[in-house]
């Protein structure tokens, strides 16, 4: 098997000697041998395929940790992993495209970035929380006030048979990771100019993430060995922060945000779930995903052992828009969301959503917020 110097190998595979030294230090592409006297690295020609794959994957922007995973997989599985990565890149590009369109629209209109609520609208909202018909503990949470609206779906705490019908113990709310997240979020978010929406909401999201980590640590320490570990305690989070008609969305997990505009319903967020990745890879149809046994398995959420960052979008609302935030206790069981969202008032909508979920068996906790956008006359 032919041996190549680091310079010859770099020329043959398209990587620089500097990159090869880095990949050696990381254990991603160690040389076949290192001269004991000179320290020179030497590579075998059999390593060229792996080196070229690394070069191609770096060329499309794949992180080194994920490249290591791809390189260690069989060819078929490696191809699926690359396809999944690229689907995620395309989704991110779509989100960025929406933000760019939003910014271009706002800037071309000559809006004043330094004014709070530069395009005035009135928001009318309603919120509903329900334990459902199966769970004995309510771990969902919701917030709707002023400029901040959010839902969160907590998980990881044991069921408690002493809860009453509202998911309370002795009349007091039982805290969850979702409660911790929304408590921190609403104290960190504030009314800001449109230009500061994303930075303010991102900072508030980080506060929520820290609160969930603290909650999970405390809850785990207070529980016995039979309950969930600290890594199993966490929450989803979907939040909207408004400034006039402009708003930012921060999202992680499988709670959702929807828009009802001109009689058409569209989803503003993407689920961070295992089955969604299977659908993107073509291994499941959307219909099959709805009944898949792992449909609730999250790939991203707020929990103690991850520095999760949210999907972040900027949007501009129009008078007549209706927005729905909901946990999977709603969207996984209520069929015909579009029809329900045509109810006259937000309060009627949230009551109907709860009723529809209960009629479908309500196997999970549920939370929802409906927001109507009105122009000022």
């Amino acid at each position: 098997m032919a041996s190549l110097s680091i310079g010859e190998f770099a020329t043959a595979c398209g990587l620089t000697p500097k990159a090869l030294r880095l990949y050696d230090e990381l254990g991603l592409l160690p040389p076949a041998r290192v001269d004991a006297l000179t320290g020179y690295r030497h590579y075998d020609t059999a390593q060229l395929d792996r080196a070229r794959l690394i070069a191609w994957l770096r060329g499309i922007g794949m992180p080194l940790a994920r490249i290591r995973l791809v390189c260690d997989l069989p060819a078929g599985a490696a191809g699926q992993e690359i396809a999944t990565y690229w689907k995620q890149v395309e989704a991110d590009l779509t989100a960025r495209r929406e933000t760019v369109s939003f910014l271009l629209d706002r800037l071309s209109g000559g809006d004043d970035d330094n004014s709070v609520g530069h395009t005035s609208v009135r928001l009318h909202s309603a919120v509903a929380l329900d334990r459902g018909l199966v769970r004995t503990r309510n771990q969902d949470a919701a917030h709707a006030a002023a400029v901040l609206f959010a839902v969160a779906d907590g998980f990881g705490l044991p069921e408690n048979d002493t809860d009453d019908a509202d998911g309370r113990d002795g009349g007091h709310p039982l805290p969850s990771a979702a409660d911790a997240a929304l408590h921190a979020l609403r104290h960190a978010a504030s009314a800001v100019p449109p230009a500061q929406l994303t930075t303010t909401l991102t900072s508030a999201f980080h506060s929520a993430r820290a609160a969930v980590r603290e909650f999970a640590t405390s809850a785990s320490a207070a529980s016995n060995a039979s309950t969930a570990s600290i890594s199993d305690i966490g929450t989803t989070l979907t939040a909207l922060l408004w400034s006039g008609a402009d708003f930012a969305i921060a999202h992680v997990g499988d709670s959702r945000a929807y828009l009802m505009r001109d009689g058409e319903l569209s989803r503003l967020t993407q689920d961070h779930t295992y089955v969604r990745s299977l659908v993107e890879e073509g291994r499941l149809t959307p219909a099959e995903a709805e009944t898949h046994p792992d449909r609730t398995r999250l790939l991203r959420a707020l929990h103690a052992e991850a520095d999760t960052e949210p999907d972040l979008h900027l949007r501009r609302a129009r008078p007549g828009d209706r927005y729905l935030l909901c946990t999977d206790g709603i969207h996984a069981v209520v069929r015909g969301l579009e029809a329900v969202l045509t109810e006259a008032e937000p309060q009627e909508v949230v009551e109907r959503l709860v009723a529809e979920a209960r009629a479908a068996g309500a196997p999970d906790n549920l939370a929802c917020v409906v927001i109507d956008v009105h122009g000022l006359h």
Side-chain angles (χ1 to χ4, degrees), residues 100-239:
V100 168
S101 296
F102 164 88
L103 293 171
L104 291 176
D105 177 62
R106 180 151 62 85
L107 292 171
S108 63
D111 294 323
D112 181 5
D113 286 349
N114 294 316
S115 63
V116 176
H118 66 283
T119 303
S120 296
V121 295
R122 179 171 58 86
L123 303 178
H124 179 205
S125 66
V127 60
L129 275 171
D130 194 272
R131 196 184 66 185
L133 299 176
V134 175
R135 305 286 190 184
T136 59
R137 176 192 288 270
N138 194 348
Q139 296 194 61
D140 282 9
H143 176 78
V147 295
L148 180 67
F149 305 86
V151 295
D153 183 353
F155 55 84
L157 295 180
E159 293 293 301
N160 188 329
D161 293 331
T162 66
D163 291 358
D164 66 17
D166 294 322
R168 297 168 179 263
D169 184 4
H172 300 289
L174 290 170
S176 67
D179 294 316
L182 293 198
H183 180 79
L185 189 79
R186 65 176 177 262
H187 283 283
S190 59
V192 294
Q196 296 176 21
L197 278 172
T198 54
T199 54
T200 301
L201 188 54
T202 299
S203 177
F205 180 93
H206 291 166
S207 296
R209 186 177 67 190
V212 169
R213 180 179 291 116
E214 181 179 352
F215 174 85
T217 302
S218 299
S220 179
S223 64
N224 58 50
S226 65
T227 60
S229 69
I230 186 173
S231 61
D232 296 324
I233 299 172
T235 186
T236 69
L237 178 59
T238 303

Side-chain angles (χ1 to χ4, degrees), residues 310-321:
D311 291 348
L312 198 64
H313 312 282
L314 277 170
R315 291 292 186 99
R316 170 166 288 177
R318 301 176 187 170
D321 283 353

Side-chain angles (χ1 to χ4, degrees), residues 34-41:
V34 179
D35 190 289
L37 294 177
T38 64
Y40 289 164
R41 296 169 171 85

Side-chain angles (χ1 to χ4, degrees), residues 267-315:
R267 180 141 54 102
L268 303 181
T269 55
Q270 294 295 326
D271 297 343
H272 300 136
T273 58
Y274 173 64
V275 293
R276 179 194 164 207
S277 70
L278 295 181
V279 171
E280 290 176 344
E281 292 169 16
R283 295 161 63 187
L284 281 181
T285 66
E288 290 170 334
E290 290 182 3
T291 57
H292 194 279
D294 286 333
R295 62 187 177 278
T296 60
R297 177 178 162 194
L298 295 173
L299 297 181
R300 287 171 60 193
L302 293 180
H303 58 85
E305 297 181 349
D307 289 331
T308 307
E309 293 294 336
D311 291 348
L312 198 64
H313 312 282
L314 277 170
R315 291 292 186 99

